[in-house]
Amino acid sequence: MNVRRDPRVPLTTAAGLGAVAIVVALVTGGSAPVVTAVAGVVTGLLAAVSLIMAASRVTPGHRRQPAAWRWMTAGSLTWLLGVGVRPVADGTPFVLTFADLLILAGSVLLAIGCGLSVKPPAYTRGVIRQAADAYLGAASVFAVAWVAVLGPAFRRAEDTGAFFVALALPVICLLATCAVTPAVAASRSGNRVVGLTGVGVLAAITVAELATALARLGGDHPPLVAGLLVPALLLVLAVTPWVEQDRPARPLTAALTAATPLVLVAVATLVATLHAIGGSRDAALAVVAASVVLVLLGRLFVLLVETAGMRRLVDVGEQQLRRLAENTGDVVLVCDPEGVVQEAGPGLEATYGYRPEDLACRPIFDYVHPEDLPAVQALLSRMTDEDDGPEQEGGTRVSCRFRASDGTWRPTETVAARHVRDDDLVLVTIRDLSDQVALRNQVTHLTFHDGVTGLPNRAYFEERARDVLTRRGAVGTAVIFLDLDGFTAVNDSVGHASGDHLLGQAARRLRSAVRADDTLARWGGDEFAVLLEGGASGGMSGGASGGGDAQTAIDLAERLVRAVSNEPFRVADRDIALTASVGVAFAEEDLSSGDLLRNADVAMSRAKELGGRRVEVFATHMHADVVRRLEIASDLQRALLENQFAIEYQPVVDLATSRVTAVEALIRWWRGGTFVPPEQFLGPAEDTGIIVPLSEWILREACQEVAAWRASSWDIGLALNLSARQIMAPRFVETVSEALSDSGLPASALTLEVIEEMLVEDAGEMIGRLSELRALGVRLAIDDFGTGYASLAFLRQLPVDMIKIDPSFVSGLGRDDTLTLLTRTIVQLGNDLGLIVVAEGIERPEQLDLLRKMGCTRGQGYLVARPMAARGVDDLMPGTPLQNTA
């Protein structure tokens, strides 16, 4: 125990000074009453100051100590006041003086403070029992004191009335001491040392006042030792509030505290008996003994009443516990140590179909699953083992399966505990977990299965692939990825609910196409995955396969394509035809499951890029292409910020006069001094959305350049290719209008080109946007005409000004009669509709001659002019004919 003093007041020093003052008073020869009064005043004042300062120091969390210490402060001050005036009051003829009343009041206040200084236990004894114990202790001490001291003094006394009046003060102090001592002694409070010191002060006051009463009756002064006992303990009380305990207090046990009054009664009885054997007869002692007997009988009666009440509470608690278990669906059984059922609760029939009498006198082991029987037997054995510690008495639990009357095994949680009233019986509570297990299994199924198709989901497939590669290695393992082509249009047209219905149909078709040992899962969206654990040979490099196993995987992939594509799906009272793009990847040595799945996904994406309805086997270059596209996509944003792009212009000429009528703006990218072909970065730009700001930059730059040429009296137009993402951008029409306004380029000088495939994919909204552009005065052209799906229909719906013949037709002129015929038909169609016809990809003189003869008015290509920078276009001003035209 460490002592830490408050730095504000060195109380131990003050206590030492008080002790020195007492010693000085003794040495100087002061009388006993004066010395006692001085010592009492000094020490009482020190105790009061110490307690009141300690009460103000205590943190708010300790609310009982400040109040208790203030009560003790009041008691100390009242007591020292009584002691201070006692030398004056002793001159009066009264047996009890005003000073005695002050001392009595101070003692009572000290007793209250001692009682409040400790935290009461959670379960306190009754007030009547506490008062009885206090009286028994006080009466026993009084009886012993009577035999030893008070009896002889009583026999010497001349006035018996004055004798008992003089004893009133010490007797009351004795009762107060006995009332608070048990609570303080049994307390677990860390500050109980203050309470114990206060009890010591009360005991010292009792002894001192008893000595004072006897001295008054004998006409003498009380002994100095008795008078200085209280000041000495008050010095201790002044120090104890500042003592902090590092370890928790070790209070007396409840049994010892409760037995102390009875021990005192026994000691008093023994002393009184020996006194009576000696021939002494004291009426006062007889009265005290009779009162003790009456109090003991009253205490016994109260104890019997409390015991009966506790027994009723135990019975009620047991009934409530059983009702609670039954109301929660638990089954309560009472078994003996051998597991024989002695009693069964009524919930047994509702839960398991047995009547209580069906299980009576039968071993519970007959209804436990054989695999779980050892655990249940060990559980009952632990419950009936006398050597078990307290942790076993609280009960324990085990999971087992319990047989119902219909023969099914129900999962349960069994809890066993010793019976409350009979340690030879075991209380077994059985809780049925069938619903919880079923719910857990359902949650597990939903965690690893898709709710739309019922197939395993991505998490299950990844775990399965990882397990297969770990267990079997690369030999005989392949992964197939499948994507439904055009599925997005299904959700947009018939809704997501119908789309989910279509996915369910597709899952059933795919399930019927794969083998029973293969794992089919829904990867996500409209993608499915198949894991072949023995359908492909390992050791493939770059996707090249060999042997029958690899062919088996490819055959399965083609069978999946046919399962999806051969028959339309019936959704929302309509037939919807879909195709599938499939990618196959074979496992290799040291290839992780994640890389294998990635390879299959890359192969599937490759199949989709090539038009769909096909199977692609993963090759190493595919991954390299994907990585290159990712690198390009990551560099595009920086290239746009650093102005790495440039514009080249390819002239469009009048085939009859070789006059340049327009230029087509083409984007060029110089990446670190290296030229990147447009076909390598336009796709990633479209995918990442960078095509939108990039196209806006081209539009503004080209409009400014062409507007400058037109300012030189050159009637030249500008043609630009549009991407689907650019057209569908929120402010595309406004962007075109602002570019024309800022540059001063007339709207009629700008021609925007779109390909037919873009019109087919989203005809309604696309045509609406293009119509808004046409309303601005901008001319529209269909690029790569003849390669789309519905050219003639869109020529009727969209007010087009120009069509551009795809280079694939022009390349066959003069060599392929069919292509020549088709080209002539397109030219004739355009002329009949009043459209400007532009031929792309003119590279040979004979192509130019045939186009002129067909009536094609415009053309462009390497034979006419190659793409060039703006400075090269300056050389093509009117009056400077092209050198390489025919």
Side-chain angles (χ1 to χ4, degrees), residues 15-94:
L17 293 176
V20 171
I22 296 173
V23 173
V24 170
L26 291 173
V27 173
T28 55
S31 62
V34 173
V35 172
T36 302
V38 172
V41 171
V42 173
T43 56
L45 185 60
L46 286 175
V49 172
S50 175
L51 288 171
I52 198 65
M53 292 183 64
S56 63
R57 185 197 66 160
V58 177
T59 59
H62 300 79
R63 296 180 180 177
R64 295 187 58 82
Q65 283 76 12
W69 293 349
R70 292 188 183 100
W71 279 93
M72 296 176 73
T73 300
S76 300
L77 293 175
T78 305
W79 180 87
L80 71 88
L81 183 61
V83 170
V85 301
R86 172 170 277 181
V88 179
D90 284 345
T92 61
F94 302 103

Side-chain angles (χ1 to χ4, degrees), residues 174-419:
L174 177 62
L175 283 171
T177 304
C178 293
V180 299
T181 298
V184 176
S187 173
R188 297 180 180 273
S189 174
N191 289 313
R192 62 192 288 267
V193 63
V194 179
L196 289 174
T197 307
V199 170
V201 173
L202 286 174
I205 292 175
T206 302
V207 173
E209 294 307 315
L210 179 61
T212 301
L214 293 176
R216 285 178 177 175
L217 293 174
D220 198 0
H221 294 295
L224 184 59
V225 175
L228 294 179
L229 182 62
V230 178
L233 288 176
L234 283 174
L235 286 178
V236 178
L237 183 61
V239 176
T240 50
W242 306 93
V243 176
E244 296 184 0
Q245 294 184 346
D246 293 333
R247 298 179 180 178
R250 294 184 178 180
L252 298 175
T253 61
L256 181 60
T257 304
T260 299
L262 301 180
V263 173
L264 292 176
V265 170
V267 172
T269 303
L270 178 61
V271 172
T273 302
L274 294 176
H275 183 65
I277 293 174
S280 300
R281 298 289 187 272
D282 286 325
L285 190 61
V287 172
V288 171
S291 66
V292 168
V293 171
L294 291 176
V295 171
L296 283 174
L297 290 176
R299 185 172 183 237
L300 179 61
F301 175 76
V302 172
L303 181 62
L304 292 175
V305 173
E306 291 178 350
T307 303
M310 293 177 63
R311 185 178 292 109
R312 286 195 301 272
L313 289 177
V314 171
D315 294 338
V316 172
E318 184 178 354
Q319 293 176 3
Q320 291 178 344
L321 180 62
R322 183 168 298 187
R323 289 179 181 177
L324 178 62
E326 293 171 354
N327 291 335
T328 56
D330 296 347
V331 176
V332 180
L333 304 177
V334 179
C335 302
D336 63 11
E338 286 73 28
V340 178
V341 178
Q342 303 296 322
E343 183 181 353
L348 180 65
E349 185 173 4
T351 306
Y352 296 104
Y354 298 110
R355 294 175 299 176
E357 54 268 22
D358 294 340
L359 266 68
C361 300
R362 298 194 62 178
I364 191 176
F365 306 130
D366 293 346
Y367 302 91
V368 177
H369 195 279
E371 296 177 359
D372 304 327
L373 191 57
V376 177
Q377 291 174 335
L379 173 64
L380 292 180
S381 177
R382 288 197 300 272
M383 288 299 99
T384 56
D385 190 354
E386 295 181 357
D387 296 332
D388 282 344
E391 67 276 3
Q392 297 292 347
E393 296 179 1
T396 185
R397 64 187 65 205
V398 66
S399 297
C400 65
R401 285 160 288 183
F402 195 84
R403 189 182 65 196
S405 61
D406 57 1
T408 59
W409 293 103
R410 305 278 188 86
T412 66
E413 182 181 64
T414 301
V415 179
R418 288 177 177 174
H419 200 278

Side-chain angles (χ1 to χ4, degrees), residues 437-604:
V437 171
L439 179 61
R440 185 164 58 249
N441 293 336
Q442 183 180 2
V443 171
T444 302
H445 182 272
L446 293 176
T447 302
F448 293 102
H449 286 76
D450 175 54
V452 175
T453 62
L455 296 175
N457 59 12
R458 177 174 179 172
Y460 178 88
F461 191 85
E462 289 177 339
E463 182 65 28
R464 181 64 180 170
R466 187 161 44 246
D467 179 68
V468 169
L469 287 182
T470 302
R471 182 164 38 88
R472 296 189 178 184
V475 178
T477 303
V479 172
I480 300 174
F481 266 41
L482 180 145
D483 180 84
L484 300 178
D485 301 326
F487 178 77
T488 304
V490 176
N491 284 334
D492 295 341
S493 59
V494 296
H496 288 273
S498 298
D500 291 344
H501 180 62
L502 188 149
L503 288 174
Q505 296 182 47
R508 288 190 290 273
R509 292 188 188 183
L510 298 176
R511 179 72 269 179
S512 63
V514 302
R515 301 175 305 180
D517 295 336
D518 299 333
T519 301
L520 171 65
R522 183 187 178 193
W523 185 255
D526 59 343
E527 296 182 8
F528 297 85
V530 182
L531 176 64
L532 289 81
E533 302 181 23
S537 61
M540 307 293 179
S541 177
S545 60
D549 288 341
Q551 189 59 44
T552 301
I554 296 174
D555 291 342
L556 173 59
E558 294 176 347
R559 191 161 62 249
L560 295 176
V561 173
R562 292 193 297 270
V564 173
S565 307
N566 285 353
E567 183 180 350
F569 295 90
R570 187 67 178 175
V571 178
D573 297 328
R574 68 179 71 178
D575 291 334
I576 297 179
L578 294 179
T579 59
S581 300
V582 179
V584 182
F586 299 101
E588 303 176 7
E589 294 297 335
D590 299 327
L591 185 69
S592 66
S593 61
D595 291 340
L596 177 61
L597 300 178
R598 179 206 62 197
N599 294 345
D601 194 12
V602 169
M604 182 195 69

Side-chain angles (χ1 to χ4, degrees), residues 671-814:
R671 184 186 183 196
T674 303
F675 176 73
V676 182
E679 59 270 14
Q680 292 186 10
F681 70 84
L682 288 180
E686 180 80 13
D687 296 338
T688 58
I690 297 179
I691 191 67
V692 175
L694 181 60
S695 299
E696 292 179 0
W697 177 79
I698 298 172
L699 176 63
R700 294 182 183 276
E701 291 292 324
C703 286
Q704 293 284 352
E705 196 71 49
V706 174
W709 291 329
R710 292 179 63 88
S712 302
S713 301
W714 186 13
D715 187 13
I716 187 173
L718 172 64
L720 285 175
N721 285 295
L722 297 180
S723 68
R725 197 155 190 168
Q726 182 182 8
I727 297 175
M728 301 308 296
R731 298 188 69 257
F732 174 64
V733 177
E734 291 83 351
T735 301
V736 174
S737 177
E738 291 172 1
L740 293 174
S741 177
D742 294 342
S743 63
L745 184 70
S748 59
L750 176 63
T751 302
L752 299 178
E753 304 175 0
V754 296
I755 59 175
E756 288 180 283
E757 287 81 356
M758 290 166 49
L759 300 174
V760 173
E761 290 178 359
D762 196 355
E765 191 170 357
M766 185 71 69
I767 292 177
R769 288 292 183 93
L770 295 177
S771 298
E772 293 180 24
L773 291 173
R774 191 67 178 81
L776 293 177
V778 176
R779 297 197 294 178
L780 299 179
I782 296 180
D783 197 9
D784 299 337
F785 187 82
T787 59
Y789 302 98
S791 301
L792 295 178
F794 284 110
L795 287 177
R796 179 177 57 84
Q797 297 179 26
L798 189 64
V800 178
D801 302 281
M802 181 186 301
I803 57 176
K804 304 185 73 172
I805 303 175
D806 189 74
S808 61
F809 294 99
V810 177
S811 64
L813 292 178

